[in-house]
Amino acid sequence: MEKESTKIHQILSMKGGLGDESYAKNSKPQRAILSSSVPVLEQAVLDFCDTRLPHCITIADLGCSSGPNTLFAVTRITSLIHERFSQLGQAPPEFSIFLNDLPGNDFNAVFQTFLPAFKEKKWAENGSYISGVPGSFYGRLFPSNSLHFVHSGTSLHWLSQVPPELNDKSNPLINKGKIYISKTSPAAAIAAYQIQFQKDFFSFLMARSKEVVPGGRMVFTLNARRIADPTAEESCLTWDYLGQALQDLVLKGLMEEEKLDTYNVPYYEPYVEEIKTEIAKEGSFTLNCLEIIALPWDACNGGMKCDRATTAKNWVRVLKAINEPMVRSHFGAEVLDPFFQSLTGNHRS
């Protein structure tokens, strides 16, 4: 029997390619998060540069995805380190850079379309060696004591699997009409999501504790919530919209209700205290900085001012780029158009 986590690894990927509906063209909110986190990233790099610097520095970006954001952090990390070497009057360092994501990620687009621009940077023309590493970051990916700097951008809210209680074939925990945590979700479903995040995040930290050298640094951003209530609107509203759009298809006879009842996303937005707890429990890392960044509603517009209808349409394009592979796998390709059309209507209302 195929493990559920293995199936998730095969279908959990952003929409590949470079078309208008691809993740590469619809990842502006993620870019806004990365841009807002630059001060934290730069401080971590500068702190690292205060240590004894090896001539070859190994960097891993975990959950790199595919698009213009893929090399965003790597570019800043390498440029700052290169500048520091120059200030110290040392020869330019070499960089061994690993880009990691699940096997379904569009690595071809990364290396064919986005890597050439990085290689044109003066500090990257020579001495930068970049590799793709397919696999789950919830397990070991690299040899012991091999990484100097780890970055993960907007990825750790994706779980290794849907909580198994929700997928139990003999006695599934039904999260009626919902695809994620909601005000109407059973308490057991909410607890299952919380426990799955705790297990996964602890596993992530434990794997990195073996791979990162003493004195190494790690910076990550993820979708999280500012209040303890896991059913708070700030972390659940978008998934309520998605669930409502799927319910619309059931009501129209385009989908069996059982299909909806058995669909749950492998996703969880933790409370900041949950993050702190797992870091303290694992014990290998010192938390130097934790900042909360609140994105505006129109982050999907890339800084442009748009009316509500246009903003709603742009958000649906973002959601489609993220969710289409999972929706297609569970419900079939025939529901995609009516589903996202219904979602656009719900967002405008």
Side-chain angles (χ1 to χ4, degrees):
M1 181 179 293
E2 187 178 24
K3 291 184 178 179
E4 186 66 28
S5 59
T6 301
K7 292 194 293 184
I8 287 294
H9 294 172
Q10 294 170 347
I11 64 173
L12 180 55
S13 63
M14 307 298 102
K15 186 174 175 61
L18 302 172
D20 289 341
E21 295 185 344
S22 67
Y23 182 79
K25 290 289 181 66
N26 296 283
S27 52
K28 292 181 177 67
Q30 293 83 353
R31 181 61 166 234
I33 293 173
L34 291 172
S35 297
S36 298
S37 69
V38 163
V40 174
L41 178 66
E42 292 183 343
Q43 186 59 55
V45 174
L46 293 174
D47 290 344
F48 169 70
C49 288
D50 285 340
T51 64
R52 183 181 177 89
L53 294 174
H55 183 68
C56 182
I57 296 170
T58 304
I59 301 165
D61 194 289
L62 309 182
C64 67
S65 196
S66 170
N69 299 337
T70 296
L71 291 160
F72 180 91
V74 166
T75 299
R76 278 151 179 77
I77 294 167
T78 54
S79 64
L80 281 171
I81 294 175
H82 186 276
E83 182 180 338
R84 183 58 175 158
F85 268 75
S86 179
Q87 291 171 347
L88 295 173
Q90 298 180 9
E94 292 186 319
F95 296 106
S96 180
I97 300 168
F98 297 104
L99 302 177
N100 155 260
D101 213 310
L102 293 174
N105 186 55
D106 191 354
F107 284 102
N108 285 336
V110 171
F111 288 100
Q112 293 175 0
T113 304
F114 302 106
L115 182 58
F118 173 80
K119 296 293 284 185
E120 290 175 0
K121 308 294 183 185
K122 64 178 182 179
W123 65 88
E125 288 177 329
N126 299 300
S128 291
Y129 305 94
I130 301 183
S131 304
V133 181
S136 171
F137 51 48
Y138 291 122
R140 288 290 300 275
L141 292 166
F142 306 100
S144 298
N145 295 317
S146 63
L147 301 179
H148 297 102
F149 205 103
V150 174
H151 176 264
S152 180
T154 63
S155 297
L156 280 163
H157 43 262
W158 292 109
L159 302 174
S160 67
Q161 61 178 342
V162 174
E165 296 87 343
L166 295 164
N167 278 334
D168 186 341
K169 295 291 192 296
S170 60
N171 186 29
L173 177 59
I174 301 298
N175 190 17
K176 194 68 177 176
K178 304 295 181 180
I179 64 174
Y180 179 58
I181 293 170
S182 179
K183 293 288 185 184
T184 60
S185 295
I190 297 171
Y193 269 104
Q194 292 173 318
I195 291 169
Q196 187 64 49
F197 171 78
Q198 292 163 9
K199 290 178 178 177
D200 283 346
F201 190 50
F202 186 88
S203 296
F204 174 87
L205 294 171
M206 190 163 58
R208 304 294 83 75
S209 73
K210 304 291 193 303
E211 298 167 350
V212 177
V213 302
R217 297 295 192 276
M218 180 160 62
V219 175
F220 58 83
T221 61
L222 76 163
N223 294 351
R225 60 184 198 275
R226 295 167 290 182
I227 57 179
D229 181 8
T231 66
E233 194 172 87
E234 71 173 27
S235 58
C236 299
L237 184 60
T238 295
W239 297 106
D240 280 343
Y241 278 132
L242 286 158
Q244 183 180 337
L246 290 169
Q247 288 184 65
D248 289 344
L249 300 191
V250 173
L251 293 174
K252 293 175 181 176
L254 299 176
M255 180 196 301
E256 295 294 329
E257 187 173 15
E258 182 184 2
K259 275 287 189 180
L260 176 55
D261 287 342
T262 56
Y263 182 68
N264 296 278
V265 292
Y267 178 94
Y268 181 73
E269 293 191 13
Y271 180 40
V272 290
E273 294 302 323
E274 292 178 276
I275 297 170
K276 293 178 182 178
T277 296
E278 296 308 312
I279 292 174
K281 187 193 303 181
E282 196 281 328
S284 299
F285 295 94
T286 300
L287 181 60
N288 299 115
C289 178
L290 189 154
E291 291 195 10
I292 297 172
I293 302 166
L295 281 190
W297 153 251
D298 61 355
C300 58
N301 297 329
M304 297 177 60
K305 294 296 181 183
C306 302
D307 58 35
R308 182 175 179 83
T310 300
T311 300
K313 183 178 180 180
N314 288 340
W315 262 118
V316 171
R317 288 164 69 95
V318 170
L319 294 174
K320 186 173 184 179
I322 294 171
N323 286 275
E324 182 176 314
M326 291 186 293
V327 172
R328 180 192 297 272
S329 175
H330 186 83
F331 297 103
E334 64 276 6
V335 309
L336 291 175
D337 286 342
F339 169 52
F340 288 108
Q341 288 169 5
S342 178
L343 183 61
T344 300
N346 289 341
H347 261 62
R348 283 175 175 168
S349 59

